[in-house]
């Protein structure tokens, strides 16, 4: 019995040794394992390996994005619509003022009023200029659009310089009066002039026409440039470096056009009604 028990014990031991040799080795313990922080990549290394959009240079941008960014940096910050609306309002204000002022002379001789009409218009332009641009560097249309003139030659100083105001008034008022007088002289003195005077008037008339064409071409070019950079709405403001800027950044522009709409509506009705009555009655 003792021998049988020893044999069975040795058989179990050999069987256990065979099983232990066939089993896979156990994984290493936590003490022998490599730390996870040293094996896994850190968050800093991962973020540095990714492409950064904030640190991307301008040279990495597509060509169309380069053109857009450069174009925006070159353009002004004043709306083109505000500037053109201000010019339109100034023209309408002067037309209404001239119409009301000429009604004063309706009892006078029409030929006398027509003869001195350039001087009357120059006087009105001088009054408007004195109490608008010369006084506050802004016209009445600019006040409605929250705009004012600023010298582009000296942006640190507020408003326009004295020579810019003087040249603006001299060209707009004096130049306009001189052109109207020269045109009238070529028209009225043609029939009563002698041969030499007619030759002079003919040359003067041709020079005036050439000057008007050159001015029209330059005005169109200036307007196209203005539509691109929105800096100088007129040719004269471009020559004198007079830029339009917002007078107050927080103030909204004038948006009430009810009176203007009614005026335009009644004007169209009166013109249409006059045409119908003249044509069919």
């Amino acid at each position: 019995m003792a021998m049988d028990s020893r044999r069975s014990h040795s058989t179990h031991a050999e069987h256990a040794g065979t099983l232990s040799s066939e089993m896979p080795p156990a994984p290493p313990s936590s003490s022998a394992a490599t730390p996870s922080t040293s094996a896994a990549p850190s968050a800093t290394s991962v973020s540095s390996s990714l492409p950064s959009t904030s640190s991307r240079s301008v040279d990495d941008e597509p060509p169309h994005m380069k053109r857009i960014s450069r174009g925006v940096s070159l353009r002004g910050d004043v709306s083109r619509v505000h500037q053109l609306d201000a010019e339109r309002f100034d023209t309408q204000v002067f037309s209404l003022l001239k119409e009301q002022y000429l009604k004063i002379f309706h009892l006078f001789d029409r030929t006398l009023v027509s003869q001195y009409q350039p001087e009357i218009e120059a006087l009105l332009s001088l009054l408007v200029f004195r109490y608008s641009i010369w006084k506050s560097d802004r016209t009445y249309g600019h006040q409605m659009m929250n705009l004012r003139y600023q010298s582009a030659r000296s942006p640190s100083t507020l408003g326009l310089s004295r020579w810019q105001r003087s040249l603006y008034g001299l060209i707009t008022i004096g130049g306009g009066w001189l052109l109207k007088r020269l045109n009238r002289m070529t028209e009225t003195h043609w029939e009563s002039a002698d041969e030499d005077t007619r030759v002079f008037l003919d040359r003067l008339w041709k020079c005036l026409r050439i000057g008007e064409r050159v001015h029209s071409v330059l005005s169109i070019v200036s307007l196209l440039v203005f539509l691109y950079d929105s800096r100088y709405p007129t040719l004269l403001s471009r020559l004198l470096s007079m830029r339009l800027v917002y007078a107050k950044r927080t103030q909204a522009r004038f948006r009430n056009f009810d009176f203007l709409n009614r005026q335009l509506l009644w004007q169209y009705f009166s013109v249409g009604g006059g045409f119908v009555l003249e044509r069919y009655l």
Side-chain angles (χ1 to χ4, degrees):
M1 293 294 293
M3 293 294 293
D4 295 337
S5 61
R6 289 177 181 177
R7 289 176 180 177
S8 62
H9 182 70
S10 60
T11 304
H12 288 296
E14 292 176 358
H15 184 63
T18 304
L19 291 177
S20 62
S21 62
E22 293 178 356
M23 291 179 64
S29 62
S30 61
S31 61
T34 306
S36 59
T37 57
S38 61
S42 62
T44 307
S45 61
V46 173
S47 62
S48 62
S49 62
L50 293 176
S52 177
T53 57
S54 61
S55 63
R56 185 172 57 184
S57 62
V58 180
D59 298 334
D60 299 334
E61 295 182 354
H64 66 280
M65 293 300 296
K66 292 180 182 178
R67 290 194 297 268
I68 292 175
S69 60
R70 290 172 185 172
V72 171
S73 62
L74 291 176
R75 297 180 182 179
D77 56 348
V78 182
S79 175
R80 301 170 182 83
V81 178
H82 294 187
Q83 301 181 56
L84 295 178
D85 283 347
E87 296 292 333
R88 180 65 175 172
F89 285 150
D90 290 334
T91 305
Q92 292 181 353
V93 166
F94 183 77
S95 299
L96 292 174
L97 181 61
K98 183 179 69 174
E99 181 181 358
Q100 297 296 325
Y101 188 76
L102 289 177
K103 287 182 179 180
I104 302 175
F105 305 97
H106 70 281
L107 297 177
F108 290 83
D109 189 6
R110 292 186 178 181
T111 58
L112 182 64
V113 177
S114 178
Q115 182 180 358
Y116 294 101
Q117 186 172 356
E119 284 74 17
I120 295 174
E121 294 180 358
L123 179 60
L124 290 176
S125 301
L126 181 62
L127 291 175
V128 172
F129 171 77
R130 171 61 181 84
Y131 293 101
S132 59
I133 295 180
W134 187 266
K135 184 178 180 181
S136 59
D137 294 329
R138 54 196 308 200
T139 62
Y140 299 105
H142 296 162
Q143 296 178 16
M144 297 175 69
M145 293 291 107
N146 186 28
L147 299 174
R148 65 172 177 84
Y149 274 122
Q150 173 65 37
S151 177
R153 297 180 181 272
S154 56
S156 59
T157 59
L158 184 63
L160 300 174
S161 60
R162 184 175 293 271
W163 70 268
Q164 284 177 321
R165 299 193 194 100
S166 302
L167 284 179
Y168 185 87
L170 181 63
I171 294 174
T172 55
I173 302 173
W177 171 82
L178 182 61
L179 286 177
K180 291 176 182 178
R181 270 301 170 193
L182 291 177
N183 285 322
R184 290 203 171 197
M185 186 178 66
T186 56
E187 294 174 358
T188 56
H189 296 282
W190 175 264
E191 297 179 357
S192 60
D194 54 3
E195 189 66 25
D196 296 336
T197 307
R198 286 188 177 185
V199 173
F200 170 74
L201 293 176
D202 184 62
R203 292 178 180 177
L204 180 60
W205 183 84
K206 290 181 180 179
C207 292
L208 290 176
R209 299 292 82 78
I210 293 174
E212 289 179 358
R213 292 174 184 174
V214 172
H215 179 266
S216 300
V217 172
L218 293 179
S219 298
I220 293 174
V221 174
S222 177
L223 179 61
L224 293 177
V225 177
F226 165 73
L227 294 178
Y228 174 74
D229 57 10
S230 69
R231 292 185 178 182
Y232 303 100
T234 60
L235 179 62
L236 182 58
S237 62
R238 185 176 299 275
L239 293 177
L240 298 180
S241 300
M242 299 166 53
R243 291 196 59 182
L244 285 173
V245 296
Y246 286 116
K248 296 180 180 179
R249 289 285 180 178
T250 58
Q251 181 179 353
R253 75 165 185 154
F254 182 77
R255 297 179 181 271
N256 189 8
F257 299 102
D258 294 338
F259 177 75
L260 181 61
N261 293 334
R262 289 196 299 267
Q263 181 185 1
L264 293 176
L265 183 62
W266 283 112
Q267 182 179 359
Y268 292 149
F269 273 127
S270 61
V271 172
F275 174 76
V276 171
L277 294 176
E278 183 181 358
R279 182 70 179 274
Y280 298 102
L281 294 181

